[in-house]
């Protein structure tokens, strides 16, 4: 499989490294509107062909699939161009900045017969995959309550760089630069993590979003700091369970932690991803009477990168698909609407 990487910012390095590690995959081209960044990226990863526009890359056409690692608002137009050119697409999350665009992309890829998948990176957690299996197998009985959080701290710590001076962070705080804030950036991850891990889909959402004062005049250079930094959701799931889903970029001491607790009528399961480390615990059987939690072993799982390559070779999309990402985007859109209306919003 010959792969083109579209967008050569920070996350593109993960795509290049992971895809190059898969036998039979060649990263044959890179695209970026910033020539210096493109040249440095292609040199680092040994990529022979450089393009400053997607149009030029498509005119060349000597590749089978595109890894779309552009900023969020660029996903929609560029993915549609790649689909129209007959390419498979592996898109970074979110698929689009709203559900209407995401569904347009979904319908386009499904009509084309090509593979379209979205990089929900935390699906790579073996604790999540094993925990989901246990939930679906009925090991905790009927689900009654779900508690999920995604905690980051790059607004208070400099472990990933200084957000006040680096464009790769500042754009994530600015609506006019295409950001939907923490909700669009990490909210999509924790909603997927909670829904996938519990095996439940969100039916109703009541949300609150918060943007904190981070600079004089809420502005640094060209960046208006108006995108949300934290959110909370109260949700109902189809099937009758209720729960809470929250995320923030201000949780000092938590570099990148996703935690999901699923409480059922006969037991509970906790799935944690914490800055590269996965943990799975359960309270089952007689342990519910003593509130005893025990670690649960799990095996390594395939990554989204590996699943995408398998899907292209088989000619059949695997999860997480474009349609899955579009449905998660509907939840985020309803959360935005709920924050404005101060009312519960139903998913169709």
């Amino acid at each position: 499989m010959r792969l083109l990487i579209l967008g050569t910012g920070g996350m593109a390095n993960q795509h290049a490294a992971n895809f190059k590690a898969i036998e039979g995959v060649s990263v044959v081209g890179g695209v970026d509107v910033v020539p210096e960044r493109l040249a440095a990226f292609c040199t680092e990863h040994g990529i022979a062909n450089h393009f400053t526009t997607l149009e030029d890359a498509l005119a060349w056409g000597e590749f089978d699939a595109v890894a779309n690692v552009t900023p969020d608002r660029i996903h929609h137009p560029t993915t549609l161009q790649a689909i129209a050119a007959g390419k498979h697409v592996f898109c970074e999350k979110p698929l689009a900045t709203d559900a209407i665009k995401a569904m347009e992309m979904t319908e386009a890829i499904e009509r084309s017969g090509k593979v379209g998948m979205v990089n929900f990176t935390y699906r790579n957690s073996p604790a999540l995959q094993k925990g989901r299996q246990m939930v679906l197998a009925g090991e905790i009985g009927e689900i009654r309550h779900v508690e999920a959080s995604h905690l980051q701290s790059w607004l208070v710590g400099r472990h990933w760089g200084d957000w006040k001076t680096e464009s790769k962070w500042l754009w994530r705080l600015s609506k006019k630069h295409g950001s939907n804030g923490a909700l669009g950036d990490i909210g999509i991850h924790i909603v997927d993590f909670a829904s996938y891990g519990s095996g439940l889909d969100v039916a109703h959402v009541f949300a609150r979003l918060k943007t904190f004062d981070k600079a004089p005049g809420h502005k640094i250079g060209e960046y208006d700091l108006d995108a949300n930094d934290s959110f909370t959701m109260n949700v109902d799931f189809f099937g009758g369970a209720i729960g809470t889903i929250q995320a923030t970029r201000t949780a000092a001491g938590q570099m990148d932690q996703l935690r999901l607790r699923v409480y059922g009528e006969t037991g509970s399961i906790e799935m944690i991803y914490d800055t590269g480390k996965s943990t799975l615990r359960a309270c089952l059987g007689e342990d519910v009477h003593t509130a005893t939690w025990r670690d649960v072993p799990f095996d390594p799982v395939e990554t989204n990168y590996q699943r995408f390559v398998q899907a292209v070779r088989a000619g059949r999309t695997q999860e997480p698909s474009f349609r899955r990402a579009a449905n998660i985007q509907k939840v985020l859109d309803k959360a935005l609407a709920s924050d404005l209306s101060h009312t519960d919003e139903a998913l169709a």
Side-chain angles (χ1 to χ4, degrees):
M1 191 186 87
R2 301 167 302 170
L3 183 75
L4 179 85
I5 295 183
L6 174 61
T8 61
M11 190 62 189
N13 292 295
Q14 294 293 322
H15 285 251
N18 278 279
F19 278 119
K20 286 176 65 178
I22 301 172
E23 185 176 357
V25 176
S26 300
V27 180
V28 297
V31 183
D32 203 299
V33 296
V34 181
E36 298 80 9
R37 183 169 61 200
L38 172 65
F41 175 82
C42 290
T43 298
E44 179 179 353
H45 296 285
I47 300 171
N49 299 285
H50 312 183
F51 305 92
T52 54
T53 70
L54 178 57
E55 290 78 7
D56 287 346
L58 293 174
W60 172 62
E62 298 297 316
F63 55 95
D64 308 298
V66 175
N68 193 337
V69 204
T70 57
D72 298 355
R73 62 189 172 89
I74 309 299
H75 292 174
H76 174 258
T78 53
T79 293
L80 290 178
Q81 284 180 267
I83 294 169
K87 307 301 182 182
H88 306 284
V89 181
F90 184 70
C91 189
E92 263 303 320
K93 61 78 206 169
L95 184 57
T97 53
D98 63 62
I100 293 174
K101 291 186 178 72
M103 193 54 67
E104 182 184 357
M105 296 159 71
T106 298
E107 292 172 351
I109 198 77
E110 290 178 352
R111 284 195 305 269
S112 75
K114 297 296 181 179
V115 170
M117 293 173 60
V118 178
N119 191 25
F120 287 122
T121 53
Y122 302 101
R123 291 282 189 98
N124 300 334
S125 167
L128 176 67
Q129 297 292 345
K130 176 65 175 180
R132 170 182 163 86
Q133 291 175 10
M134 295 171 67
V135 170
L136 295 182
E139 294 192 31
I140 62 171
E142 182 179 337
I143 299 171
R144 293 175 172 169
H145 194 95
V146 174
E147 174 192 329
S149 62
H150 192 163
L151 307 178
Q152 293 184 342
S153 57
W154 56 267
L155 282 179
V156 292
R158 291 190 292 273
H159 38 270
W160 291 343
D162 186 354
W163 68 266
K164 295 180 181 179
T165 60
E166 298 181 32
S167 61
K168 67 179 180 179
W169 301 115
L170 283 167
W171 82 263
R172 297 175 186 271
L173 307 175
S174 175
K175 291 180 181 178
K176 76 177 182 182
H177 286 81
S179 176
N180 280 333
L183 181 71
D185 186 21
I186 58 178
I188 195 163
H189 279 309
I190 192 58
V191 172
D192 179 68
F193 200 86
S195 176
Y196 182 76
S198 66
L200 301 173
D201 291 322
V202 174
H204 296 86
V205 57
F206 185 85
R208 284 291 176 271
L209 280 61
K210 183 70 175 180
T211 305
F212 300 107
D213 184 0
K214 298 180 291 297
H218 306 283
K219 188 178 182 71
I220 295 179
E222 65 180 284
Y223 299 94
D224 296 323
L225 308 184
D226 55 356
N228 61 85
D229 302 309
S230 296
F231 73 83
T232 61
M233 297 183 196
N234 292 327
V235 300
D236 298 321
F237 294 95
F238 289 105
I242 64 171
T244 60
I245 301 174
Q246 62 175 334
T248 186
R249 295 162 165 167
T250 65
Q254 301 291 350
M255 194 173 294
D256 188 32
Q257 184 201 75
L258 292 83
R259 190 181 80 167
L260 170 63
R261 280 185 170 179
V262 185
Y263 299 99
E265 60 180 338
T266 61
S268 303
I269 293 176
E270 180 182 59
M271 308 162 222
I272 300 175
Y273 171 93
D274 195 345
T275 321
K277 180 182 178 181
S278 289
T279 304
L280 180 63
R281 302 193 311 149
C283 180
L284 305 171
E286 292 301 309
D287 284 341
V288 302
H289 303 298
T290 56
T292 300
W293 290 78
R294 301 183 190 276
D295 289 336
V296 177
F298 46 76
D299 297 319
V301 296
E302 293 175 331
T303 67
N304 290 334
Y305 305 99
Q306 293 169 316
R307 284 193 288 271
F308 177 70
V309 173
Q310 292 172 1
V312 169
R313 289 172 175 166
R316 186 173 61 253
T317 293
Q318 295 189 31
E319 293 295 336
S321 65
F322 274 28
R323 185 162 291 276
R324 169 66 178 182
N327 287 334
I328 296 296
Q329 190 64 47
K330 290 179 182 179
V331 178
L332 304 189
D333 287 4
K334 292 296 186 181
L336 285 168
S338 175
D339 182 61
L340 291 173
S341 67
H342 288 201
T343 60
D344 175 87
E345 293 284 340
L347 276 292

